[in-house]
Coordinates of all heavy atoms in Angstrom, one line a residue:
M1 N 32.2 -36.1 -54.3 CA 31.7 -36.6 -55.5 C 30.8 -37.8 -55.2 O 31.1 -38.7 -54.4 CB 32.8 -37.1 -56.5 CG 33.8 -36.0 -56.8 SD 33.0 -34.7 -57.7 CE 33.0 -35.4 -59.4
S2 N 29.7 -37.9 -55.9 CA 28.8 -39.0 -55.7 C 27.8 -39.1 -56.8 O 27.9 -38.3 -57.7 CB 28.0 -38.8 -54.4 OG 27.0 -37.8 -54.6
W3 N 27.0 -40.1 -56.8 CA 26.1 -40.3 -57.9 C 25.1 -39.1 -58.0 O 24.6 -38.8 -59.1 CB 25.3 -41.6 -57.7 CG 24.4 -41.6 -56.5 CD1 24.7 -42.0 -55.3 CD2 23.0 -41.2 -56.5 NE1 23.7 -41.8 -54.4 CE2 22.6 -41.4 -55.1 CE3 22.1 -40.7 -57.4 CZ2 21.3 -41.1 -54.7 CZ3 20.8 -40.4 -57.0 CH2 20.4 -40.6 -55.7
R4 N 24.9 -38.4 -56.9 CA 24.0 -37.3 -56.9 C 24.5 -36.1 -57.8 O 23.7 -35.4 -58.3 CB 23.8 -36.7 -55.5 CG 23.0 -37.6 -54.6 CD 23.2 -37.0 -53.2 NE 22.8 -38.0 -52.2 CZ 21.5 -38.1 -51.7 NH1 20.6 -37.3 -52.0 NH2 21.3 -39.0 -50.8
T5 N 25.8 -36.0 -57.8 CA 26.4 -34.8 -58.6 C 26.8 -35.3 -60.0 O 27.1 -34.4 -60.8 CB 27.6 -34.2 -57.9 OG1 28.5 -35.2 -57.6 CG2 27.1 -33.5 -56.6
E6 N 26.8 -36.6 -60.3 CA 27.3 -37.1 -61.5 C 26.2 -37.7 -62.4 O 26.5 -38.0 -63.6 CB 28.4 -38.1 -61.3 CG 29.7 -37.5 -60.7 CD 30.6 -38.6 -60.3 OE1 30.3 -39.8 -60.2 OE2 31.8 -38.2 -60.0
T7 N 25.0 -37.8 -61.9 CA 24.0 -38.5 -62.6 C 22.9 -37.6 -62.9 O 22.3 -36.9 -62.0 CB 23.4 -39.7 -61.7 OG1 24.5 -40.5 -61.3 CG2 22.4 -40.5 -62.5
M8 N 22.5 -37.5 -64.2 CA 21.3 -36.7 -64.5 C 20.1 -37.5 -64.4 O 20.1 -38.7 -64.6 CB 21.5 -36.2 -66.0 CG 22.3 -35.0 -66.2 SD 22.2 -34.3 -67.8 CE 23.4 -33.0 -67.8
L9 N 19.0 -36.8 -64.1 CA 17.8 -37.5 -63.9 C 17.4 -38.4 -65.1 O 17.0 -39.5 -65.0 CB 16.7 -36.5 -63.7 CG 15.3 -37.0 -63.2 CD1 15.5 -37.7 -61.8 CD2 14.4 -35.8 -63.0
R10 N 17.6 -37.8 -66.3 CA 17.2 -38.5 -67.5 C 18.2 -39.7 -67.8 O 17.9 -40.5 -68.7 CB 17.2 -37.6 -68.7 CG 18.5 -37.0 -69.1 CD 18.3 -36.1 -70.3 NE 19.6 -35.4 -70.6 CZ 19.7 -34.1 -70.9 NH1 18.6 -33.4 -71.1 NH2 20.9 -33.6 -71.1
D11 N 19.3 -39.8 -67.2 CA 20.2 -40.9 -67.3 C 19.8 -42.1 -66.6 O 20.2 -43.3 -66.8 CB 21.6 -40.6 -66.9 CG 22.3 -39.5 -67.7 OD1 21.9 -39.4 -68.9 OD2 23.2 -38.8 -67.3
L12 N 18.9 -41.9 -65.6 CA 18.4 -43.0 -64.8 C 17.4 -43.9 -65.5 O 16.7 -43.4 -66.4 CB 17.8 -42.5 -63.5 CG 18.7 -41.8 -62.5 CD1 17.9 -41.1 -61.4 CD2 19.8 -42.7 -62.0
D13 N 17.3 -45.1 -65.1 CA 16.2 -46.0 -65.5 C 14.9 -45.3 -65.1 O 14.8 -44.9 -63.9 CB 16.4 -47.3 -64.8 CG 15.4 -48.4 -65.3 OD1 14.2 -48.0 -65.5 OD2 15.8 -49.5 -65.5
P14 N 13.9 -45.2 -66.0 CA 12.6 -44.5 -65.6 C 11.9 -45.2 -64.5 O 11.1 -44.5 -63.8 CB 11.8 -44.6 -66.9 CG 12.8 -44.8 -68.0 CD 13.9 -45.5 -67.4
D15 N 12.3 -46.4 -64.2 CA 11.6 -47.2 -63.1 C 12.4 -46.9 -61.8 O 12.0 -47.5 -60.8 CB 11.6 -48.7 -63.4 CG 10.6 -49.0 -64.5 OD1 9.7 -48.2 -64.7 OD2 10.8 -50.0 -65.2
T16 N 13.4 -46.2 -61.8 CA 14.1 -45.9 -60.6 C 13.2 -45.1 -59.6 O 12.6 -44.1 -60.0 CB 15.4 -45.0 -60.8 OG1 16.2 -45.7 -61.7 CG2 16.1 -44.8 -59.5
E17 N 13.0 -45.7 -58.5 CA 12.1 -45.1 -57.5 C 12.9 -44.3 -56.5 O 13.9 -44.7 -55.9 CB 11.3 -46.2 -56.8 CG 10.2 -45.7 -55.9 CD 9.5 -46.9 -55.3 OE1 9.9 -48.0 -55.4 OE2 8.4 -46.6 -54.6
F18 N 12.4 -43.1 -56.2 CA 12.9 -42.2 -55.2 C 12.0 -42.1 -54.0 O 10.8 -42.1 -54.2 CB 13.1 -40.8 -55.7 CG 14.1 -40.6 -56.8 CD1 13.6 -40.3 -58.1 CD2 15.4 -40.8 -56.6 CE1 14.5 -40.1 -59.1 CE2 16.3 -40.6 -57.7 CZ 15.8 -40.2 -58.9
E19 N 12.6 -42.0 -52.9 CA 11.8 -41.5 -51.7 C 12.2 -40.0 -51.6 O 13.4 -39.7 -51.4 CB 12.1 -42.3 -50.5 CG 11.2 -41.8 -49.3 CD 11.5 -42.5 -48.0 OE1 12.7 -42.3 -47.6 OE2 10.7 -43.2 -47.4
V20 N 11.2 -39.2 -51.6 CA 11.5 -37.7 -51.4 C 10.9 -37.4 -50.0 O 9.7 -37.5 -49.8 CB 10.8 -36.9 -52.5 CG1 11.0 -35.4 -52.3 CG2 11.2 -37.3 -53.9
S21 N 11.8 -37.1 -49.1 CA 11.3 -36.8 -47.8 C 11.7 -35.4 -47.4 O 12.7 -34.8 -47.7 CB 11.9 -37.8 -46.8 OG 13.3 -37.9 -46.9
C22 N 10.7 -34.8 -46.6 CA 10.9 -33.4 -46.2 C 11.8 -33.3 -45.0 O 11.6 -34.0 -44.0 CB 9.5 -32.8 -45.9 SG 9.6 -31.1 -45.3
R23 N 12.8 -32.4 -45.1 CA 13.7 -32.2 -43.9 C 13.0 -31.5 -42.8 O 13.5 -31.4 -41.7 CB 14.9 -31.5 -44.4 CG 15.8 -32.2 -45.3 CD 16.9 -31.2 -45.9 NE 17.7 -31.8 -46.9 CZ 18.8 -32.4 -46.7 NH1 19.4 -32.5 -45.5 NH2 19.5 -32.9 -47.8
M24 N 11.9 -30.8 -43.1 CA 11.3 -29.9 -42.1 C 10.2 -30.7 -41.3 O 10.2 -30.7 -40.1 CB 10.6 -28.7 -42.8 CG 11.5 -27.8 -43.5 SD 12.5 -26.7 -42.4 CE 11.2 -25.6 -41.9
C25 N 9.3 -31.3 -42.1 CA 8.1 -32.0 -41.4 C 8.2 -33.5 -41.5 O 7.4 -34.2 -40.8 CB 6.8 -31.4 -42.0 SG 6.5 -32.0 -43.6
G26 N 9.1 -34.0 -42.3 CA 9.3 -35.5 -42.3 C 8.3 -36.2 -43.2 O 8.4 -37.4 -43.4
K27 N 7.4 -35.5 -43.8 CA 6.5 -36.2 -44.8 C 7.3 -36.7 -46.0 O 8.2 -36.0 -46.4 CB 5.4 -35.2 -45.3 CG 4.3 -34.9 -44.2 CD 3.3 -34.0 -44.7 CE 2.3 -33.6 -43.6 NZ 1.4 -32.5 -43.9
H28 N 6.8 -37.8 -46.5 CA 7.5 -38.3 -47.7 C 6.6 -38.8 -48.7 O 5.4 -39.1 -48.4 CB 8.6 -39.3 -47.3 CG 8.0 -40.5 -46.7 ND1 7.7 -40.6 -45.3 CD2 7.6 -41.7 -47.2 CE1 7.2 -41.8 -45.1 NE2 7.1 -42.5 -46.2
R29 N 7.1 -38.9 -49.9 CA 6.3 -39.4 -51.0 C 7.3 -40.2 -51.9 O 8.5 -40.0 -51.8 CB 5.6 -38.4 -51.8 CG 6.5 -37.4 -52.6 CD 5.6 -36.3 -53.2 NE 6.3 -35.5 -54.2 CZ 7.0 -34.4 -53.9 NH1 7.1 -34.0 -52.7 NH2 7.6 -33.7 -54.9
Y30 N 6.7 -40.9 -52.8 CA 7.6 -41.6 -53.8 C 7.4 -41.1 -55.2 O 6.3 -40.7 -55.6 CB 7.2 -43.1 -53.7 CG 7.5 -43.7 -52.4 CD1 6.5 -43.9 -51.4 CD2 8.8 -44.1 -52.1 CE1 6.8 -44.4 -50.2 CE2 9.1 -44.6 -50.8 CZ 8.1 -44.8 -49.9 OH 8.4 -45.3 -48.6
E31 N 8.5 -41.0 -55.8 CA 8.5 -40.5 -57.2 C 9.4 -41.5 -58.1 O 10.3 -42.1 -57.6 CB 9.2 -39.1 -57.3 CG 8.5 -38.0 -56.5 CD 7.3 -37.4 -57.2 OE1 6.9 -37.9 -58.3 OE2 6.8 -36.4 -56.7
W32 N 9.0 -41.5 -59.3 CA 9.8 -42.3 -60.3 C 10.6 -41.4 -61.2 O 10.0 -40.3 -61.6 CB 8.9 -43.3 -61.1 CG 8.5 -44.5 -60.3 CD1 9.2 -45.7 -60.3 CD2 7.5 -44.6 -59.3 NE1 8.6 -46.5 -59.4 CE2 7.6 -45.9 -58.7 CE3 6.6 -43.7 -58.7 CZ2 6.7 -46.3 -57.7 CZ3 5.7 -44.1 -57.7 CH2 5.8 -45.4 -57.3
A33 N 11.8 -41.8 -61.5 CA 12.6 -41.0 -62.4 C 11.9 -40.6 -63.6 O 11.9 -39.4 -64.1 CB 14.0 -41.7 -62.7
G34 N 11.2 -41.6 -64.3 CA 10.5 -41.3 -65.5 C 9.5 -40.3 -65.4 O 9.3 -39.5 -66.3
D35 N 8.8 -40.3 -64.3 CA 7.7 -39.3 -64.0 C 8.3 -37.9 -63.9 O 7.7 -36.9 -64.4 CB 6.9 -39.6 -62.8 CG 6.0 -40.8 -63.0 OD1 5.8 -41.2 -64.2 OD2 5.5 -41.4 -62.0
L36 N 9.4 -37.8 -63.2 CA 10.0 -36.5 -63.0 C 10.5 -35.9 -64.3 O 10.4 -34.7 -64.6 CB 11.1 -36.6 -62.0 CG 10.7 -36.8 -60.5 CD1 11.9 -37.0 -59.6 CD2 9.8 -35.7 -60.0
V37 N 11.1 -36.8 -65.2 CA 11.6 -36.4 -66.5 C 10.4 -35.9 -67.3 O 10.5 -34.9 -68.0 CB 12.3 -37.5 -67.2 CG1 12.6 -37.2 -68.6 CG2 13.6 -37.9 -66.5
K38 N 9.3 -36.5 -67.2 CA 8.1 -36.1 -68.0 C 7.6 -34.7 -67.6 O 7.0 -34.1 -68.4 CB 7.0 -37.1 -67.8 CG 7.0 -38.3 -68.8 CD 5.8 -39.2 -68.6 CE 6.2 -40.6 -68.2 NZ 5.1 -41.3 -67.6
L39 N 7.9 -34.3 -66.4 CA 7.6 -32.9 -66.0 C 8.3 -31.9 -66.9 O 7.9 -30.7 -66.9 CB 7.9 -32.7 -64.6 CG 7.1 -33.5 -63.5 CD1 7.6 -33.2 -62.1 CD2 5.6 -33.2 -63.6
G40 N 9.4 -32.4 -67.5 CA 10.1 -31.5 -68.5 C 11.3 -30.8 -67.9 O 12.4 -31.2 -68.3
R41 N 11.2 -29.9 -67.0 CA 12.3 -29.1 -66.7 C 13.4 -29.7 -65.9 O 14.5 -29.2 -65.8 CB 11.7 -27.8 -65.9 CG 11.2 -28.2 -64.5 CD 10.3 -27.1 -63.9 NE 9.6 -27.6 -62.8 CZ 10.1 -27.6 -61.5 NH1 11.3 -27.0 -61.3 NH2 9.5 -28.1 -60.5
L42 N 13.1 -30.9 -65.3 CA 14.1 -31.5 -64.4 C 15.0 -32.5 -65.1 O 16.0 -33.0 -64.5 CB 13.3 -32.3 -63.2 CG 12.6 -31.3 -62.3 CD1 11.8 -32.2 -61.3 CD2 13.5 -30.4 -61.5
G43 N 14.7 -32.9 -66.3 CA 15.4 -34.0 -67.0 C 16.9 -33.8 -67.1 O 17.6 -34.7 -67.0
G44 N 17.3 -32.6 -67.3 CA 18.7 -32.3 -67.5 C 19.4 -31.9 -66.2 O 20.5 -31.4 -66.2
F45 N 18.7 -32.1 -65.1 CA 19.3 -31.7 -63.8 C 20.0 -32.9 -63.2 O 19.6 -34.0 -63.4 CB 18.2 -31.3 -62.8 CG 17.7 -29.9 -63.0 CD1 17.8 -29.2 -64.2 CD2 17.1 -29.3 -61.9 CE1 17.3 -27.9 -64.3 CE2 16.6 -28.0 -62.0 CZ 16.7 -27.3 -63.2
Y46 N 21.1 -32.6 -62.6 CA 21.7 -33.6 -61.7 C 20.9 -33.9 -60.5 O 20.1 -33.0 -60.1 CB 23.2 -33.2 -61.4 CG 24.1 -33.2 -62.6 CD1 24.4 -32.0 -63.2 CD2 24.6 -34.4 -63.0 CE1 25.2 -32.0 -64.3 CE2 25.5 -34.4 -64.1 CZ 25.7 -33.2 -64.8 OH 26.6 -33.2 -65.9
I47 N 21.1 -35.0 -59.9 CA 20.2 -35.4 -58.8 C 20.3 -34.4 -57.6 O 19.3 -34.1 -57.0 CB 20.6 -36.8 -58.3 CG1 20.4 -37.9 -59.4 CG2 19.7 -37.2 -57.0 CD1 19.1 -37.9 -60.0
D48 N 21.5 -33.9 -57.4 CA 21.6 -32.9 -56.3 C 20.8 -31.6 -56.6 O 20.3 -30.9 -55.8 CB 23.0 -32.6 -55.9 CG 23.8 -31.8 -57.0 OD1 23.6 -32.1 -58.2 OD2 24.6 -31.0 -56.6
Q49 N 20.8 -31.3 -57.9 CA 20.0 -30.1 -58.4 C 18.5 -30.4 -58.2 O 17.7 -29.5 -57.8 CB 20.3 -29.7 -59.8 CG 21.7 -29.2 -60.0 CD 22.0 -29.0 -61.5 OE1 22.0 -29.9 -62.3 NE2 22.4 -27.8 -61.8
V50 N 18.1 -31.6 -58.6 CA 16.7 -32.0 -58.4 C 16.3 -31.9 -57.0 O 15.2 -31.3 -56.6 CB 16.5 -33.4 -58.9 CG1 15.0 -33.9 -58.7 CG2 16.7 -33.5 -60.4
Q51 N 17.2 -32.3 -56.1 CA 16.9 -32.3 -54.7 C 16.7 -30.9 -54.2 O 15.9 -30.6 -53.4 CB 18.1 -33.0 -54.0 CG 17.9 -33.1 -52.5 CD 19.0 -33.9 -51.8 OE1 18.8 -35.1 -51.6 NE2 20.1 -33.3 -51.5
R52 N 17.5 -30.0 -54.7 CA 17.4 -28.6 -54.3 C 16.1 -27.9 -54.9 O 15.6 -27.0 -54.4 CB 18.6 -27.7 -54.8 CG 19.8 -27.9 -53.9 CD 20.8 -26.8 -54.1 NE 21.4 -26.9 -55.4 CZ 22.6 -27.5 -55.7 NH1 23.2 -28.2 -54.8 NH2 23.0 -27.5 -56.9
D53 N 15.7 -28.4 -56.1 CA 14.6 -27.8 -56.8 C 13.3 -28.2 -56.2 O 12.3 -27.5 -56.1 CB 14.6 -28.2 -58.3 CG 13.6 -27.4 -59.1 OD1 13.9 -26.2 -59.3 OD2 12.6 -27.9 -59.4
L54 N 13.2 -29.5 -55.8 CA 11.9 -30.0 -55.2 C 11.7 -29.4 -53.8 O 12.6 -29.2 -53.1 CB 12.0 -31.5 -55.1 CG 12.0 -32.3 -56.5 CD1 12.1 -33.8 -56.2 CD2 10.7 -32.0 -57.3
R55 N 10.4 -29.2 -53.5 CA 10.1 -28.7 -52.2 C 9.1 -29.7 -51.6 O 8.5 -30.5 -52.3 CB 9.4 -27.3 -52.3 CG 10.1 -26.3 -53.0 CD 11.5 -26.0 -52.5 NE 11.4 -25.3 -51.2 CZ 12.5 -24.9 -50.5 NH1 13.7 -25.1 -51.1 NH2 12.4 -24.3 -49.4
C56 N 8.9 -29.6 -50.3 CA 7.8 -30.4 -49.7 C 6.5 -30.3 -50.4 O 6.1 -29.2 -50.8 CB 7.7 -29.9 -48.2 SG 6.5 -30.9 -47.3
F57 N 5.8 -31.4 -50.5 CA 4.6 -31.4 -51.3 C 3.5 -30.7 -50.5 O 2.4 -30.4 -51.0 CB 4.2 -32.8 -51.7 CG 3.9 -33.7 -50.6 CD1 2.6 -33.9 -50.1 CD2 4.9 -34.5 -50.1 CE1 2.4 -34.8 -49.1 CE2 4.7 -35.4 -49.0 CZ 3.4 -35.5 -48.5
D58 N 3.7 -30.6 -49.2 CA 2.7 -29.8 -48.4 C 3.0 -28.3 -48.5 O 4.0 -27.8 -48.0 CB 2.9 -30.3 -46.9 CG 1.9 -29.6 -46.0 OD1 1.3 -28.6 -46.4 OD2 1.6 -30.1 -44.9
R59 N 2.1 -27.6 -49.2 CA 2.4 -26.2 -49.5 C 2.5 -25.4 -48.3 O 3.1 -24.3 -48.3 CB 1.3 -25.7 -50.4 CG 1.4 -26.3 -51.8 CD 0.3 -25.7 -52.7 NE 0.4 -26.3 -54.0 CZ 1.2 -26.0 -55.0 NH1 2.1 -25.0 -54.8 NH2 1.2 -26.6 -56.2
K60 N 1.9 -25.8 -47.2 CA 2.0 -25.0 -46.0 C 3.4 -25.1 -45.4 O 3.8 -24.3 -44.6 CB 0.9 -25.5 -44.9 CG -0.5 -25.1 -45.3 CD -1.4 -25.3 -44.1 CE -1.7 -26.8 -43.9 NZ -2.8 -27.4 -44.5
C61 N 4.1 -26.2 -45.7 CA 5.4 -26.4 -45.2 C 6.5 -25.9 -46.1 O 7.3 -25.0 -45.8 CB 5.6 -27.9 -44.9 SG 7.3 -28.4 -44.5
D62 N 6.4 -26.4 -47.4 CA 7.4 -25.9 -48.4 C 8.8 -26.1 -48.0 O 9.7 -25.3 -48.4 CB 7.0 -24.5 -48.8 CG 7.7 -24.1 -50.1 OD1 7.7 -25.0 -51.0 OD2 8.2 -23.0 -50.3
G63 N 9.1 -27.1 -47.2 CA 10.5 -27.3 -46.7 C 11.4 -27.9 -47.8 O 10.9 -28.5 -48.8
P64 N 12.7 -27.9 -47.5 CA 13.6 -28.6 -48.4 C 13.5 -30.1 -48.2 O 13.1 -30.6 -47.2 CB 15.0 -28.1 -47.9 CG 14.8 -27.7 -46.5 CD 13.3 -27.3 -46.4
V65 N 13.8 -30.9 -49.3 CA 13.7 -32.3 -49.3 C 15.0 -33.0 -49.4 O 16.0 -32.4 -49.8 CB 12.7 -32.8 -50.4 CG1 11.3 -32.1 -50.2 CG2 13.3 -32.5 -51.8
R66 N 15.0 -34.3 -49.1 CA 16.1 -35.2 -49.3 C 15.6 -36.3 -50.2 O 14.5 -36.8 -50.0 CB 16.6 -35.7 -48.0 CG 17.8 -36.6 -48.1 CD 18.3 -37.1 -46.7 NE 17.3 -37.9 -46.1 CZ 17.2 -38.3 -44.9 NH1 18.1 -37.8 -44.0 NH2 16.3 -39.1 -44.4
I67 N 16.4 -36.7 -51.1 CA 16.1 -37.8 -52.1 C 16.9 -39.0 -51.7 O 18.1 -39.0 -51.6 CB 16.4 -37.4 -53.5 CG1 15.5 -36.2 -54.0 CG2 16.3 -38.6 -54.4 CD1 15.8 -35.7 -55.4
C68 N 16.2 -40.1 -51.6 CA 16.9 -41.4 -51.4 C 16.4 -42.3 -52.5 O 15.2 -42.3 -52.9 CB 16.5 -42.1 -50.1 SG 17.1 -41.2 -48.7
V69 N 17.3 -43.1 -53.1 CA 16.9 -44.1 -54.1 C 16.6 -45.4 -53.4 O 17.3 -45.8 -52.5 CB 18.1 -44.3 -55.1 CG1 17.7 -45.5 -56.0 CG2 18.3 -43.0 -55.9
M70 N 15.4 -45.9 -53.8 CA 14.9 -47.0 -53.0 C 15.6 -48.3 -53.3 O 15.8 -49.1 -52.4 CB 13.4 -47.2 -53.3 CG 12.6 -46.0 -52.9 SD 12.9 -45.5 -51.2 CE 12.2 -46.8 -50.3
H71 N 16.0 -48.6 -54.5 CA 16.7 -49.8 -54.8 C 18.1 -49.4 -55.3 O 18.3 -48.6 -56.1 CB 16.0 -50.8 -55.7 CG 15.3 -50.2 -56.8 ND1 15.9 -49.9 -58.0 CD2 14.1 -49.7 -57.0 CE1 15.1 -49.4 -58.8 NE2 13.9 -49.2 -58.2
D72 N 19.1 -50.0 -54.7 CA 20.4 -49.6 -54.8 C 21.1 -50.2 -56.0 O 21.9 -51.1 -55.9 CB 21.1 -50.0 -53.5 CG 22.5 -49.4 -53.4 OD1 22.9 -48.6 -54.3 OD2 23.3 -49.8 -52.5
K73 N 20.8 -49.7 -57.2 CA 21.5 -50.1 -58.4 C 22.6 -49.2 -58.8 O 23.4 -49.5 -59.6 CB 20.5 -50.2 -59.6 CG 19.5 -51.3 -59.5 CD 18.8 -51.5 -60.8 CE 17.8 -50.4 -61.0 NZ 16.8 -50.7 -62.1
L74 N 22.6 -48.0 -58.1 CA 23.4 -46.9 -58.6 C 24.9 -46.9 -58.0 O 25.8 -46.7 -58.8 CB 22.8 -45.6 -58.2 CG 21.6 -45.2 -59.0 CD1 20.9 -44.1 -58.4 CD2 22.1 -44.8 -60.4
E75 N 25.0 -47.1 -56.8 CA 26.2 -46.9 -56.2 C 26.5 -47.9 -55.1 O 25.8 -48.0 -54.1 CB 26.2 -45.4 -55.5 CG 27.5 -45.1 -55.0 CD 27.5 -43.7 -54.3 OE1 26.7 -43.5 -53.4 OE2 28.3 -42.8 -54.8
E76 N 27.6 -48.5 -55.2 CA 28.0 -49.4 -54.2 C 28.3 -48.6 -52.9 O 29.0 -47.6 -53.0 CB 29.3 -50.2 -54.6 CG 29.6 -51.4 -53.8 CD 29.9 -52.6 -54.7 OE1 29.5 -52.6 -55.9 OE2 30.5 -53.5 -54.2
G77 N 27.9 -49.1 -51.8 CA 28.2 -48.4 -50.6 C 27.2 -47.3 -50.2 O 27.3 -46.7 -49.2
F78 N 26.3 -47.0 -51.1 CA 25.3 -46.0 -50.8 C 24.4 -46.5 -49.7 O 23.9 -47.6 -49.8 CB 24.5 -45.6 -52.1 CG 23.4 -44.7 -51.8 CD1 23.6 -43.3 -51.5 CD2 22.1 -45.1 -51.8 CE1 22.6 -42.5 -51.2 CE2 21.0 -44.3 -51.5 CZ 21.3 -43.0 -51.2
V79 N 24.3 -45.7 -48.6 CA 23.5 -46.2 -47.5 C 22.2 -45.4 -47.5 O 22.2 -44.2 -47.3 CB 24.3 -46.0 -46.2 CG1 23.4 -46.5 -45.0 CG2 25.6 -46.7 -46.2
A80 N 21.1 -46.1 -47.7 CA 19.8 -45.4 -47.7 C 19.6 -44.7 -46.4 O 19.8 -45.2 -45.3 CB 18.7 -46.4 -48.0
G81 N 19.1 -43.5 -46.5 CA 18.8 -42.7 -45.3 C 20.0 -41.8 -44.8 O 19.7 -41.0 -43.9
M82 N 21.2 -42.0 -45.3 CA 22.2 -41.1 -44.9 C 22.1 -39.8 -45.7 O 21.7 -39.8 -46.8 CB 23.6 -41.7 -45.3 CG 24.0 -42.9 -44.5 SD 24.2 -42.6 -42.8 CE 25.9 -41.9 -42.9
P83 N 22.4 -38.7 -45.0 CA 22.2 -37.4 -45.7 C 23.3 -37.2 -46.7 O 24.3 -37.8 -46.7 CB 22.4 -36.4 -44.5 CG 23.1 -37.1 -43.4 CD 22.8 -38.6 -43.6
Ligands
LIG1 ZN1 7.3 -30.6 -45.2

């Protein structure tokens, strides 16, 4: 159990910043919770579902991604960068 499985995207502060990094090629980008919610389909997803839904932004790669929250308001003891 963790914030990833208990927190819906739309429950987060829209200013919550994620780092979305590709497990395949290592490219990463930053997304804000509010922007992802605005896309529509992801708002009711839990964070782990969002992580499974998002793919690498490099279409040639299309690898699975890992989501890290940049500022740690969510969970005590959450260590950025841990899988
Ligand atoms: Zn990639």
Side-chain angles (χ1 to χ4, degrees):
M1 302 297 282
S2 76
W3 65 273
R4 290 169 196 267
T5 53
E6 293 173 345
T7 307
M8 278 189 187
L9 192 60
R10 65 181 172 219
D11 293 336
L12 294 172
D13 187 319
D15 291 332
T16 302
E17 186 179 9
F18 297 110
E19 183 186 60
V20 181
S21 53
C22 178
R23 293 170 188 263
M24 299 284 287
C25 71
K27 287 179 183 169
H28 63 274
R29 68 183 192 272
Y30 296 96
E31 300 278 7
W32 281 263
D35 286 346
L36 292 176
V37 169
K38 270 185 242 160
L39 294 177
R41 68 198 170 88
L42 294 174
F45 280 23
Y46 292 98
I47 301 305
D48 69 323
Q49 294 175 300
V50 174
Q51 184 171 264
R52 281 198 293 269
D53 191 76
L54 291 177
R55 309 300 293 183
C56 180
F57 63 93
D58 183 340
R59 290 182 183 278
K60 288 194 288 265
C61 171
D62 198 38
V65 300
R66 185 179 64 197
I67 292 176
C68 294
V69 172
M70 298 311 287
H71 41 88
D72 186 9
K73 288 191 288 193
L74 284 170
E75 184 182 57
E76 197 133 338
F78 174 74
V79 181
M82 293 293 283

